[in-house]
């Protein structure tokens, strides 16, 4: 009877040990799964970090379009060269800053003679000019002032080294007589009081009118004979 109890007790102890071992094994297996899950998460996280890094590189490439930036700069520098017209800027053109010349511009068949007066900016800086120049012809019968013809137009920026022109028209002497002899051309730039006297490049005489002053002489506005390049 005692032997059976010992055997039964031994069986109970063995069963308890076996159960404990199984529980430990189960615990070990349970711990292994989270462990491998953590490793996978870490690997995924590491992989994700690499992906983020690659994405950052790609985004960085899109955010730095060097050619576009260079093009924009070049465009800016190119557009900075424009000026003139209604956006006229600068001080007024003065007599001392202008080189004034006159040339004959008569074309066969025209009813009147034409002289073109050129105003070249030699001041060293851009200046603004508009309106009408004062024009007087010196003659052996006295001074003849040209009458204005046309609209004055908008102010114009005359860049340094460039020129702008206007015309002077006068009646041709076709009478066969000596007429009124022209001895000089006096030009006063717009809004100036200082004049320059030039040689007269056109026909040497004007017809005698009823008033004896050689007929009507006309002056066009600044720019009426074109603009020099």
């Amino acid at each position: 009877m005692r032997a059976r109890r010992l055997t039964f007790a031994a069986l109970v102890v063995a069963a308890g040990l076996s159960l404990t071992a199984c529980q430990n094994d189960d615990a070990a297996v349970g711990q292994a799964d989270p462990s491998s899950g953590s490793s996978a998460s870490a690997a995924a996280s590491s992989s994700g970090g690499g992906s983020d890094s690659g994405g950052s590189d790609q985004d960085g490439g899109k955010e730095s379009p060097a050619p576009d930036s260079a093009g924009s700069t070049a465009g800016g520098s190119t557009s900075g060269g424009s000026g003139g017209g209604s956006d006229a800027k600068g001080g007024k053109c003065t007599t001392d800053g202008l080189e004034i010349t006159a040339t004959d511009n008569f074309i066969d068949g025209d009813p009147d003679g034409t002289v073109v007066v050129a105003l070249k900016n030699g001041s060293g800086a851009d200046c603004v000019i508009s309106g009408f120049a004062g024009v007087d012809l010196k003659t052996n019968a006295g001074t003849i002032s040209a009458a204005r013809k046309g609209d004055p137009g908008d102010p114009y920026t005359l860049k340094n080294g460039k020129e702008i022109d206007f015309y002077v028209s006068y009646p041709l002497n076709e009478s066969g007589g000596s007429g009124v002899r022209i001895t000089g051309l006096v030009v006063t730039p717009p809004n100036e009081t200082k004049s320059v006297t030039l040689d007269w490049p056109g026909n040497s005489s004007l017809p005698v009118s009823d008033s004896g002053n050689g007929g009507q002489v006309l002056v066009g506005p600044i720019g009426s004979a074109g603009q020099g390049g």
Side-chain angles (χ1 to χ4, degrees):
M1 187 68 177
R2 184 176 181 182
R4 288 181 180 177
R5 288 178 182 176
L6 289 174
T7 301
F8 179 77
L11 290 175
V12 170
V13 172
L17 291 175
S18 175
L19 180 60
T20 301
C22 288
Q23 290 176 347
N24 288 339
D25 290 343
D26 290 341
V29 171
Q31 290 174 359
D33 288 340
S35 174
S36 80
S38 282
S39 298
S41 297
S45 175
S46 175
S47 173
S51 172
D52 291 342
S53 174
S56 175
D57 290 342
Q58 291 174 0
D59 292 342
K62 292 178 182 178
E63 291 173 357
S64 58
D68 291 345
S69 298
S72 174
T73 302
S77 64
T78 301
S79 64
S82 63
S86 59
D87 297 329
K89 296 179 180 179
K92 75 171 184 176
C93 298
T94 64
T95 303
D96 291 336
L98 295 170
E99 301 170 15
I100 305 175
T101 57
T103 56
D104 184 22
N105 198 44
F106 173 71
I107 299 175
D108 288 339
D110 285 353
D112 297 314
T114 304
V115 166
V116 171
V117 178
L119 308 175
K120 183 177 181 180
N121 183 5
S123 66
D126 297 351
C127 62
V128 177
I129 193 167
S130 64
F132 291 85
V135 171
D136 298 293
L137 300 187
K138 287 185 174 182
T139 75
N140 61 344
T143 299
I144 300 174
S145 295
R148 296 176 176 181
K149 181 179 180 179
D151 297 324
D154 295 327
Y156 179 81
T157 296
L158 185 59
K159 294 188 175 182
N160 183 49
K162 303 299 182 180
E163 73 175 41
I164 193 167
D165 308 329
F166 65 88
Y167 74 87
V168 178
S169 68
Y170 60 96
L172 298 173
N173 181 13
E174 298 174 336
S175 66
S178 60
V180 177
R181 186 167 53 88
I182 303 172
T183 60
L185 171 64
V186 181
V187 177
T188 308
N191 304 310
E192 279 287 276
T193 57
K194 185 176 182 179
S195 303
V196 296
T197 301
L198 308 171
D199 292 335
W200 173 251
N203 285 7
S204 60
S205 66
L206 300 171
V208 177
S209 68
D210 293 340
S211 62
N213 65 1
Q216 190 176 32
V217 178
L218 302 173
V219 57
I222 296 296
S224 58
Q227 294 163 193

